[in-house]
PDB file of all heavy atoms in Angstrom:
ATOM      1  N   VAL X   4       3.351  -0.448   6.146  1.00 98.00           N
ATOM      2  CA  VAL X   4       2.688   0.309   5.082  1.00 98.00           C
ATOM      3  C   VAL X   4       3.517   1.570   4.846  1.00 98.00           C
ATOM      4  O   VAL X   4       3.584   2.444   5.697  1.00 98.00           O
ATOM      5  CB  VAL X   4       1.234   0.649   5.423  1.00 98.00           C
ATOM      6  CG1 VAL X   4       0.585   1.460   4.312  1.00 98.00           C
ATOM      7  CG2 VAL X   4       0.423  -0.627   5.706  1.00 98.00           C
ATOM      8  N   ALA X   5       4.197   1.619   3.686  1.00 97.00           N
ATOM      9  CA  ALA X   5       5.080   2.721   3.368  1.00 97.00           C
ATOM     10  C   ALA X   5       4.350   3.895   2.752  1.00 97.00           C
ATOM     11  O   ALA X   5       4.754   5.035   2.897  1.00 97.00           O
ATOM     12  CB  ALA X   5       6.190   2.233   2.437  1.00 97.00           C
ATOM     13  N   ALA X   6       3.253   3.593   1.996  1.00 97.00           N
ATOM     14  CA  ALA X   6       2.529   4.660   1.334  1.00 97.00           C
ATOM     15  C   ALA X   6       1.130   4.178   0.970  1.00 97.00           C
ATOM     16  O   ALA X   6       0.914   3.010   0.683  1.00 97.00           O
ATOM     17  CB  ALA X   6       3.263   5.093   0.052  1.00 97.00           C
ATOM     18  N   ILE X   7       0.224   5.127   1.005  1.00 97.00           N
ATOM     19  CA  ILE X   7      -1.111   4.922   0.425  1.00 97.00           C
ATOM     20  C   ILE X   7      -1.389   6.160  -0.391  1.00 97.00           C
ATOM     21  O   ILE X   7      -1.412   7.285   0.131  1.00 97.00           O
ATOM     22  CB  ILE X   7      -2.198   4.741   1.526  1.00 97.00           C
ATOM     23  CG1 ILE X   7      -1.882   3.525   2.381  1.00 97.00           C
ATOM     24  CG2 ILE X   7      -3.574   4.628   0.872  1.00 97.00           C
ATOM     25  CD1 ILE X   7      -2.846   3.323   3.535  1.00 97.00           C
ATOM     26  N   THR X   8      -1.519   5.952  -1.688  1.00 96.00           N
ATOM     27  CA  THR X   8      -1.769   7.059  -2.605  1.00 96.00           C
ATOM     28  C   THR X   8      -2.997   6.696  -3.442  1.00 96.00           C
ATOM     29  O   THR X   8      -3.632   5.685  -3.243  1.00 96.00           O
ATOM     30  CB  THR X   8      -0.572   7.325  -3.519  1.00 96.00           C
ATOM     31  OG1 THR X   8      -0.302   6.157  -4.283  1.00 96.00           O
ATOM     32  CG2 THR X   8       0.679   7.668  -2.711  1.00 96.00           C
ATOM     33  N   ARG X   9      -3.300   7.538  -4.412  1.00 94.00           N
ATOM     34  CA  ARG X   9      -4.418   7.301  -5.321  1.00 94.00           C
ATOM     35  C   ARG X   9      -3.973   7.586  -6.719  1.00 94.00           C
ATOM     36  O   ARG X   9      -3.168   8.500  -6.958  1.00 94.00           O
ATOM     37  CB  ARG X   9      -5.610   8.166  -4.954  1.00 94.00           C
ATOM     38  CG  ARG X   9      -6.202   7.789  -3.601  1.00 94.00           C
ATOM     39  CD  ARG X   9      -7.477   8.505  -3.301  1.00 94.00           C
ATOM     40  NE  ARG X   9      -8.004   8.085  -2.026  1.00 94.00           N
ATOM     41  CZ  ARG X   9      -8.839   7.069  -1.846  1.00 94.00           C
ATOM     42  NH1 ARG X   9      -9.255   6.395  -2.902  1.00 94.00           N
ATOM     43  NH2 ARG X   9      -9.290   6.753  -0.656  1.00 94.00           N
ATOM     44  N   ASP X  10      -4.496   6.805  -7.687  1.00 91.00           N
ATOM     45  CA  ASP X  10      -4.175   7.070  -9.086  1.00 91.00           C
ATOM     46  C   ASP X  10      -5.042   8.231  -9.584  1.00 91.00           C
ATOM     47  O   ASP X  10      -5.817   8.811  -8.808  1.00 91.00           O
ATOM     48  CB  ASP X  10      -4.328   5.811  -9.949  1.00 91.00           C
ATOM     49  CG  ASP X  10      -5.747   5.291 -10.056  1.00 91.00           C
ATOM     50  OD1 ASP X  10      -6.701   6.020  -9.717  1.00 91.00           O
ATOM     51  OD2 ASP X  10      -5.927   4.146 -10.506  1.00 91.00           O
ATOM     52  N   SER X  11      -4.941   8.554 -10.838  1.00 92.00           N
ATOM     53  CA  SER X  11      -5.672   9.724 -11.388  1.00 92.00           C
ATOM     54  C   SER X  11      -7.180   9.540 -11.335  1.00 92.00           C
ATOM     55  O   SER X  11      -7.923  10.523 -11.348  1.00 92.00           O
ATOM     56  CB  SER X  11      -5.236  10.016 -12.834  1.00 92.00           C
ATOM     57  OG  SER X  11      -5.500   8.871 -13.649  1.00 92.00           O
ATOM     58  N   ALA X  12      -7.661   8.316 -11.209  1.00 90.00           N
ATOM     59  CA  ALA X  12      -9.117   8.043 -11.083  1.00 90.00           C
ATOM     60  C   ALA X  12      -9.562   8.011  -9.627  1.00 90.00           C
ATOM     61  O   ALA X  12     -10.732   7.808  -9.341  1.00 90.00           O
ATOM     62  CB  ALA X  12      -9.450   6.738 -11.774  1.00 90.00           C
ATOM     63  N   GLY X  13      -8.605   8.172  -8.699  1.00 91.00           N
ATOM     64  CA  GLY X  13      -8.921   8.148  -7.283  1.00 91.00           C
ATOM     65  C   GLY X  13      -8.892   6.760  -6.643  1.00 91.00           C
ATOM     66  O   GLY X  13      -9.263   6.595  -5.499  1.00 91.00           O
ATOM     67  N   THR X  14      -8.400   5.760  -7.388  1.00 91.00           N
ATOM     68  CA  THR X  14      -8.316   4.408  -6.883  1.00 91.00           C
ATOM     69  C   THR X  14      -7.102   4.271  -5.942  1.00 91.00           C
ATOM     70  O   THR X  14      -5.997   4.661  -6.332  1.00 91.00           O
ATOM     71  CB  THR X  14      -8.191   3.408  -8.032  1.00 91.00           C
ATOM     72  OG1 THR X  14      -9.277   3.615  -8.956  1.00 91.00           O
ATOM     73  CG2 THR X  14      -8.178   1.965  -7.556  1.00 91.00           C
ATOM     74  N   PRO X  15      -7.308   3.691  -4.754  1.00 94.00           N
ATOM     75  CA  PRO X  15      -6.185   3.559  -3.814  1.00 94.00           C
ATOM     76  C   PRO X  15      -5.070   2.652  -4.322  1.00 94.00           C
ATOM     77  O   PRO X  15      -5.310   1.649  -5.008  1.00 94.00           O
ATOM     78  CB  PRO X  15      -6.844   2.947  -2.569  1.00 94.00           C
ATOM     79  CG  PRO X  15      -8.293   3.247  -2.684  1.00 94.00           C
ATOM     80  CD  PRO X  15      -8.571   3.238  -4.156  1.00 94.00           C
ATOM     81  N   ILE X  16      -3.844   3.047  -3.949  1.00 95.00           N
ATOM     82  CA  ILE X  16      -2.656   2.243  -4.189  1.00 95.00           C
ATOM     83  C   ILE X  16      -1.955   2.081  -2.830  1.00 95.00           C
ATOM     84  O   ILE X  16      -1.653   3.078  -2.180  1.00 95.00           O
ATOM     85  CB  ILE X  16      -1.678   2.934  -5.169  1.00 95.00           C
ATOM     86  CG1 ILE X  16      -2.380   3.189  -6.503  1.00 95.00           C
ATOM     87  CG2 ILE X  16      -0.391   2.140  -5.358  1.00 95.00           C
ATOM     88  CD1 ILE X  16      -1.595   4.140  -7.415  1.00 95.00           C
ATOM     89  N   ILE X  17      -1.697   0.835  -2.428  1.00 97.00           N
ATOM     90  CA  ILE X  17      -1.047   0.568  -1.149  1.00 97.00           C
ATOM     91  C   ILE X  17       0.338  -0.009  -1.430  1.00 97.00           C
ATOM     92  O   ILE X  17       0.483  -0.935  -2.249  1.00 97.00           O
ATOM     93  CB  ILE X  17      -1.843  -0.415  -0.300  1.00 97.00           C
ATOM     94  CG1 ILE X  17      -3.220   0.166   0.044  1.00 97.00           C
ATOM     95  CG2 ILE X  17      -1.079  -0.753   0.991  1.00 97.00           C
ATOM     96  CD1 ILE X  17      -4.125  -0.794   0.801  1.00 97.00           C
ATOM     97  N   VAL X  18       1.378   0.517  -0.760  1.00 97.00           N
ATOM     98  CA  VAL X  18       2.730  -0.010  -0.849  1.00 97.00           C
ATOM     99  C   VAL X  18       3.174  -0.469   0.527  1.00 97.00           C
ATOM    100  O   VAL X  18       3.100   0.301   1.484  1.00 97.00           O
ATOM    101  CB  VAL X  18       3.712   1.093  -1.370  1.00 97.00           C
ATOM    102  CG1 VAL X  18       5.131   0.537  -1.439  1.00 97.00           C
ATOM    103  CG2 VAL X  18       3.264   1.638  -2.718  1.00 97.00           C
ATOM    104  N   VAL X  19       3.549  -1.757   0.619  1.00 98.00           N
ATOM    105  CA  VAL X  19       4.060  -2.313   1.862  1.00 98.00           C
ATOM    106  C   VAL X  19       5.535  -2.604   1.689  1.00 98.00           C
ATOM    107  O   VAL X  19       5.967  -3.244   0.729  1.00 98.00           O
ATOM    108  CB  VAL X  19       3.298  -3.608   2.247  1.00 98.00           C
ATOM    109  CG1 VAL X  19       3.872  -4.225   3.507  1.00 98.00           C
ATOM    110  CG2 VAL X  19       1.811  -3.331   2.407  1.00 98.00           C
ATOM    111  N   ARG X  20       6.347  -2.110   2.629  1.00 97.00           N
ATOM    112  CA  ARG X  20       7.804  -2.320   2.593  1.00 97.00           C
ATOM    113  C   ARG X  20       8.118  -3.573   3.448  1.00 97.00           C
ATOM    114  O   ARG X  20       7.682  -3.657   4.599  1.00 97.00           O
ATOM    115  CB  ARG X  20       8.551  -1.129   3.135  1.00 97.00           C
ATOM    116  CG  ARG X  20      10.050  -1.238   3.029  1.00 97.00           C
ATOM    117  CD  ARG X  20      10.804  -0.004   3.525  1.00 97.00           C
ATOM    118  NE  ARG X  20      10.245   1.225   3.024  1.00 97.00           N
ATOM    119  CZ  ARG X  20      10.521   1.770   1.835  1.00 97.00           C
ATOM    120  NH1 ARG X  20      11.323   1.133   1.015  1.00 97.00           N
ATOM    121  NH2 ARG X  20       9.978   2.904   1.471  1.00 97.00           N
ATOM    122  N   HIS X  21       8.894  -4.501   2.864  1.00 96.00           N
ATOM    123  CA  HIS X  21       9.277  -5.741   3.539  1.00 96.00           C
ATOM    124  C   HIS X  21      10.792  -5.761   3.720  1.00 96.00           C
ATOM    125  O   HIS X  21      11.511  -4.942   3.131  1.00 96.00           O
ATOM    126  CB  HIS X  21       8.859  -6.947   2.691  1.00 96.00           C
ATOM    127  CG  HIS X  21       7.428  -6.933   2.309  1.00 96.00           C
ATOM    128  ND1 HIS X  21       6.405  -7.360   3.128  1.00 96.00           N
ATOM    129  CD2 HIS X  21       6.828  -6.520   1.142  1.00 96.00           C
ATOM    130  CE1 HIS X  21       5.260  -7.225   2.514  1.00 96.00           C
ATOM    131  NE2 HIS X  21       5.463  -6.706   1.293  1.00 96.00           N
ATOM    132  N   GLU X  22      11.294  -6.711   4.482  1.00 94.00           N
ATOM    133  CA  GLU X  22      12.746  -6.887   4.633  1.00 94.00           C
ATOM    134  C   GLU X  22      13.380  -7.181   3.280  1.00 94.00           C
ATOM    135  O   GLU X  22      12.717  -7.661   2.359  1.00 94.00           O
ATOM    136  CB  GLU X  22      13.031  -8.038   5.604  1.00 94.00           C
ATOM    137  CG  GLU X  22      12.706  -7.709   7.029  1.00 94.00           C
ATOM    138  CD  GLU X  22      13.152  -8.816   7.967  1.00 94.00           C
ATOM    139  OE1 GLU X  22      14.059  -9.611   7.614  1.00 94.00           O
ATOM    140  OE2 GLU X  22      12.594  -8.897   9.058  1.00 94.00           O
ATOM    141  N   GLY X  23      14.674  -6.920   3.195  1.00 91.00           N
ATOM    142  CA  GLY X  23      15.428  -7.283   1.990  1.00 91.00           C
ATOM    143  C   GLY X  23      15.179  -6.368   0.809  1.00 91.00           C
ATOM    144  O   GLY X  23      15.267  -6.800  -0.315  1.00 91.00           O
ATOM    145  N   ASP X  24      14.804  -5.117   1.050  1.00 90.00           N
ATOM    146  CA  ASP X  24      14.587  -4.132  -0.009  1.00 90.00           C
ATOM    147  C   ASP X  24      13.407  -4.522  -0.910  1.00 90.00           C
ATOM    148  O   ASP X  24      13.388  -4.162  -2.096  1.00 90.00           O
ATOM    149  CB  ASP X  24      15.866  -3.957  -0.842  1.00 90.00           C
ATOM    150  CG  ASP X  24      15.866  -2.651  -1.643  1.00 90.00           C
ATOM    151  OD1 ASP X  24      15.215  -1.685  -1.222  1.00 90.00           O
ATOM    152  OD2 ASP X  24      16.511  -2.621  -2.706  1.00 90.00           O
ATOM    153  N   LEU X  25      12.463  -5.308  -0.388  1.00 95.00           N
ATOM    154  CA  LEU X  25      11.299  -5.699  -1.153  1.00 95.00           C
ATOM    155  C   LEU X  25      10.091  -4.826  -0.789  1.00 95.00           C
ATOM    156  O   LEU X  25       9.945  -4.415   0.356  1.00 95.00           O
ATOM    157  CB  LEU X  25      10.911  -7.161  -0.888  1.00 95.00           C
ATOM    158  CG  LEU X  25      11.870  -8.229  -1.390  1.00 95.00           C
ATOM    159  CD1 LEU X  25      11.411  -9.593  -0.914  1.00 95.00           C
ATOM    160  CD2 LEU X  25      11.998  -8.169  -2.904  1.00 95.00           C
ATOM    161  N   MET X  26       9.256  -4.594  -1.781  1.00 96.00           N
ATOM    162  CA  MET X  26       7.997  -3.875  -1.579  1.00 96.00           C
ATOM    163  C   MET X  26       6.893  -4.622  -2.320  1.00 96.00           C
ATOM    164  O   MET X  26       7.142  -5.172  -3.398  1.00 96.00           O
ATOM    165  CB  MET X  26       8.082  -2.446  -2.084  1.00 96.00           C
ATOM    166  CG  MET X  26       9.018  -1.580  -1.278  1.00 96.00           C
ATOM    167  SD  MET X  26       8.989   0.122  -1.797  1.00 96.00           S
ATOM    168  CE  MET X  26       9.895   0.014  -3.325  1.00 96.00           C
ATOM    169  N   SER X  27       5.710  -4.664  -1.762  1.00 96.00           N
ATOM    170  CA  SER X  27       4.555  -5.194  -2.483  1.00 96.00           C
ATOM    171  C   SER X  27       3.594  -4.029  -2.716  1.00 96.00           C
ATOM    172  O   SER X  27       3.435  -3.139  -1.885  1.00 96.00           O
ATOM    173  CB  SER X  27       3.902  -6.314  -1.732  1.00 96.00           C
ATOM    174  OG  SER X  27       3.548  -5.985  -0.389  1.00 96.00           O
ATOM    175  N   VAL X  28       2.994  -4.030  -3.930  1.00 96.00           N
ATOM    176  CA  VAL X  28       2.123  -2.946  -4.357  1.00 96.00           C
ATOM    177  C   VAL X  28       0.764  -3.545  -4.698  1.00 96.00           C
ATOM    178  O   VAL X  28       0.686  -4.573  -5.417  1.00 96.00           O
ATOM    179  CB  VAL X  28       2.721  -2.226  -5.567  1.00 96.00           C
ATOM    180  CG1 VAL X  28       1.813  -1.069  -6.004  1.00 96.00           C
ATOM    181  CG2 VAL X  28       4.130  -1.719  -5.273  1.00 96.00           C
ATOM    182  N   TYR X  29      -0.288  -2.920  -4.251  1.00 97.00           N
ATOM    183  CA  TYR X  29      -1.658  -3.386  -4.448  1.00 97.00           C
ATOM    184  C   TYR X  29      -2.497  -2.219  -4.967  1.00 97.00           C
ATOM    185  O   TYR X  29      -2.517  -1.164  -4.349  1.00 97.00           O
ATOM    186  CB  TYR X  29      -2.281  -3.883  -3.138  1.00 97.00           C
ATOM    187  CG  TYR X  29      -1.407  -4.811  -2.338  1.00 97.00           C
ATOM    188  CD1 TYR X  29      -0.311  -4.344  -1.576  1.00 97.00           C
ATOM    189  CD2 TYR X  29      -1.613  -6.180  -2.384  1.00 97.00           C
ATOM    190  CE1 TYR X  29       0.491  -5.189  -0.875  1.00 97.00           C
ATOM    191  CE2 TYR X  29      -0.790  -7.054  -1.667  1.00 97.00           C
ATOM    192  CZ  TYR X  29       0.260  -6.563  -0.913  1.00 97.00           C
ATOM    193  OH  TYR X  29       1.054  -7.413  -0.223  1.00 97.00           O
ATOM    194  N   THR X  30      -3.167  -2.428  -6.124  1.00 95.00           N
ATOM    195  CA  THR X  30      -4.053  -1.388  -6.648  1.00 95.00           C
ATOM    196  C   THR X  30      -5.402  -1.992  -7.068  1.00 95.00           C
ATOM    197  O   THR X  30      -5.544  -3.186  -7.130  1.00 95.00           O
ATOM    198  CB  THR X  30      -3.417  -0.656  -7.859  1.00 95.00           C
ATOM    199  OG1 THR X  30      -3.284  -1.568  -8.933  1.00 95.00           O
ATOM    200  CG2 THR X  30      -2.084  -0.051  -7.506  1.00 95.00           C
ATOM    201  N   ASN X  31      -6.306  -1.139  -7.403  1.00 94.00           N
ATOM    202  CA  ASN X  31      -7.718  -1.447  -7.726  1.00 94.00           C
ATOM    203  C   ASN X  31      -8.498  -1.890  -6.499  1.00 94.00           C
ATOM    204  O   ASN X  31      -9.393  -2.690  -6.588  1.00 94.00           O
ATOM    205  CB  ASN X  31      -7.805  -2.511  -8.831  1.00 94.00           C
ATOM    206  CG  ASN X  31      -7.405  -1.944 -10.162  1.00 94.00           C
ATOM    207  OD1 ASN X  31      -7.566  -0.752 -10.412  1.00 94.00           O
ATOM    208  ND2 ASN X  31      -6.859  -2.782 -11.031  1.00 94.00           N
ATOM    209  N   LEU X  32      -8.127  -1.342  -5.365  1.00 94.00           N
ATOM    210  CA  LEU X  32      -8.900  -1.574  -4.133  1.00 94.00           C
ATOM    211  C   LEU X  32     -10.056  -0.595  -4.081  1.00 94.00           C
ATOM    212  O   LEU X  32      -9.960   0.529  -4.559  1.00 94.00           O
ATOM    213  CB  LEU X  32      -8.029  -1.401  -2.894  1.00 94.00           C
ATOM    214  CG  LEU X  32      -7.134  -2.591  -2.521  1.00 94.00           C
ATOM    215  CD1 LEU X  32      -5.973  -2.747  -3.469  1.00 94.00           C
ATOM    216  CD2 LEU X  32      -6.667  -2.472  -1.113  1.00 94.00           C
ATOM    217  N   GLY X  33     -11.149  -1.029  -3.487  1.00 91.00           N
ATOM    218  CA  GLY X  33     -12.297  -0.145  -3.292  1.00 91.00           C
ATOM    219  C   GLY X  33     -12.372   0.376  -1.887  1.00 91.00           C
ATOM    220  O   GLY X  33     -12.982   1.395  -1.616  1.00 91.00           O
ATOM    221  N   ASP X  34     -11.696  -0.326  -0.977  1.00 91.00           N
ATOM    222  CA  ASP X  34     -11.734   0.041   0.443  1.00 91.00           C
ATOM    223  C   ASP X  34     -10.372  -0.268   1.045  1.00 91.00           C
ATOM    224  O   ASP X  34      -9.758  -1.262   0.690  1.00 91.00           O
ATOM    225  CB  ASP X  34     -12.811  -0.770   1.157  1.00 91.00           C
ATOM    226  CG  ASP X  34     -12.939  -0.424   2.627  1.00 91.00           C
ATOM    227  OD1 ASP X  34     -12.933   0.776   2.959  1.00 91.00           O
ATOM    228  OD2 ASP X  34     -13.019  -1.358   3.452  1.00 91.00           O
ATOM    229  N   VAL X  35      -9.878   0.608   1.900  1.00 96.00           N
ATOM    230  CA  VAL X  35      -8.578   0.435   2.532  1.00 96.00           C
ATOM    231  C   VAL X  35      -8.759   0.273   4.039  1.00 96.00           C
ATOM    232  O   VAL X  35      -9.477   1.060   4.635  1.00 96.00           O
ATOM    233  CB  VAL X  35      -7.677   1.664   2.237  1.00 96.00           C
ATOM    234  CG1 VAL X  35      -6.361   1.571   2.990  1.00 96.00           C
ATOM    235  CG2 VAL X  35      -7.437   1.763   0.752  1.00 96.00           C
ATOM    236  N   ALA X  36      -8.105  -0.740   4.629  1.00 97.00           N
ATOM    237  CA  ALA X  36      -8.252  -1.037   6.063  1.00 97.00           C
ATOM    238  C   ALA X  36      -7.009  -0.715   6.879  1.00 97.00           C
ATOM    239  O   ALA X  36      -6.950  -1.070   8.045  1.00 97.00           O
ATOM    240  CB  ALA X  36      -8.658  -2.488   6.224  1.00 97.00           C
ATOM    241  N   VAL X  37      -5.999  -0.115   6.252  1.00 98.00           N
ATOM    242  CA  VAL X  37      -4.733   0.211   6.947  1.00 98.00           C
ATOM    243  C   VAL X  37      -4.419   1.654   6.716  1.00 98.00           C
ATOM    244  O   VAL X  37      -5.019   2.326   5.887  1.00 98.00           O
ATOM    245  CB  VAL X  37      -3.586  -0.697   6.434  1.00 98.00           C
ATOM    246  CG1 VAL X  37      -3.801  -2.151   6.831  1.00 98.00           C
ATOM    247  CG2 VAL X  37      -3.390  -0.559   4.924  1.00 98.00           C
ATOM    248  N   ALA X  38      -3.414   2.143   7.456  1.00 98.00           N
ATOM    249  CA  ALA X  38      -2.950   3.512   7.307  1.00 98.00           C
ATOM    250  C   ALA X  38      -1.443   3.505   7.114  1.00 98.00           C
ATOM    251  O   ALA X  38      -0.756   2.570   7.527  1.00 98.00           O
ATOM    252  CB  ALA X  38      -3.323   4.359   8.548  1.00 98.00           C
ATOM    253  N   LYS X  39      -0.919   4.573   6.531  1.00 98.00           N
ATOM    254  CA  LYS X  39       0.510   4.694   6.348  1.00 98.00           C
ATOM    255  C   LYS X  39       1.188   4.572   7.728  1.00 98.00           C
ATOM    256  O   LYS X  39       0.741   5.155   8.699  1.00 98.00           O
ATOM    257  CB  LYS X  39       0.867   6.062   5.731  1.00 98.00           C
ATOM    258  CG  LYS X  39       2.332   6.241   5.489  1.00 98.00           C
ATOM    259  CD  LYS X  39       2.658   7.567   4.851  1.00 98.00           C
ATOM    260  CE  LYS X  39       4.168   7.706   4.711  1.00 98.00           C
ATOM    261  NZ  LYS X  39       4.523   9.001   4.123  1.00 98.00           N
ATOM    262  N   GLY X  40       2.262   3.772   7.764  1.00 98.00           N
ATOM    263  CA  GLY X  40       2.991   3.552   8.988  1.00 98.00           C
ATOM    264  C   GLY X  40       2.582   2.339   9.793  1.00 98.00           C
ATOM    265  O   GLY X  40       3.299   1.898  10.683  1.00 98.00           O
ATOM    266  N   ASP X  41       1.408   1.761   9.446  1.00 98.00           N
ATOM    267  CA  ASP X  41       0.934   0.544  10.153  1.00 98.00           C
ATOM    268  C   ASP X  41       1.878  -0.611   9.889  1.00 98.00           C
ATOM    269  O   ASP X  41       2.371  -0.795   8.775  1.00 98.00           O
ATOM    270  CB  ASP X  41      -0.441   0.119   9.672  1.00 98.00           C
ATOM    271  CG  ASP X  41      -1.588   0.993  10.216  1.00 98.00           C
ATOM    272  OD1 ASP X  41      -1.313   1.883  11.028  1.00 98.00           O
ATOM    273  OD2 ASP X  41      -2.727   0.763   9.790  1.00 98.00           O
ATOM    274  N   SER X  42       2.133  -1.430  10.899  1.00 98.00           N
ATOM    275  CA  SER X  42       2.809  -2.709  10.745  1.00 98.00           C
ATOM    276  C   SER X  42       1.758  -3.725  10.381  1.00 98.00           C
ATOM    277  O   SER X  42       0.671  -3.736  10.969  1.00 98.00           O
ATOM    278  CB  SER X  42       3.511  -3.108  12.021  1.00 98.00           C
ATOM    279  OG  SER X  42       4.606  -2.265  12.293  1.00 98.00           O
ATOM    280  N   VAL X  43       2.070  -4.572   9.395  1.00 98.00           N
ATOM    281  CA  VAL X  43       1.133  -5.619   8.973  1.00 98.00           C
ATOM    282  C   VAL X  43       1.830  -6.949   8.993  1.00 98.00           C
ATOM    283  O   VAL X  43       3.048  -7.035   8.855  1.00 98.00           O
ATOM    284  CB  VAL X  43       0.540  -5.341   7.555  1.00 98.00           C
ATOM    285  CG1 VAL X  43      -0.289  -4.067   7.565  1.00 98.00           C
ATOM    286  CG2 VAL X  43       1.635  -5.249   6.499  1.00 98.00           C
ATOM    287  N   SER X  44       1.068  -8.021   9.183  1.00 98.00           N
ATOM    288  CA  SER X  44       1.603  -9.360   9.151  1.00 98.00           C
ATOM    289  C   SER X  44       1.128 -10.052   7.877  1.00 98.00           C
ATOM    290  O   SER X  44       0.133  -9.629   7.271  1.00 98.00           O
ATOM    291  CB  SER X  44       1.182 -10.154  10.377  1.00 98.00           C
ATOM    292  OG  SER X  44      -0.239 -10.142  10.512  1.00 98.00           O
TER     293      SER X  44
END
């Protein structure tokens, strides 16, 4: 987990960094179960 931010409405945005210069981005979440720096599978 590279970043957890919020948009202007306060909605969480999660960014996960993967191998090969790839990142996945997830928004419109109501609840977050990870923290910045966590390793995820």
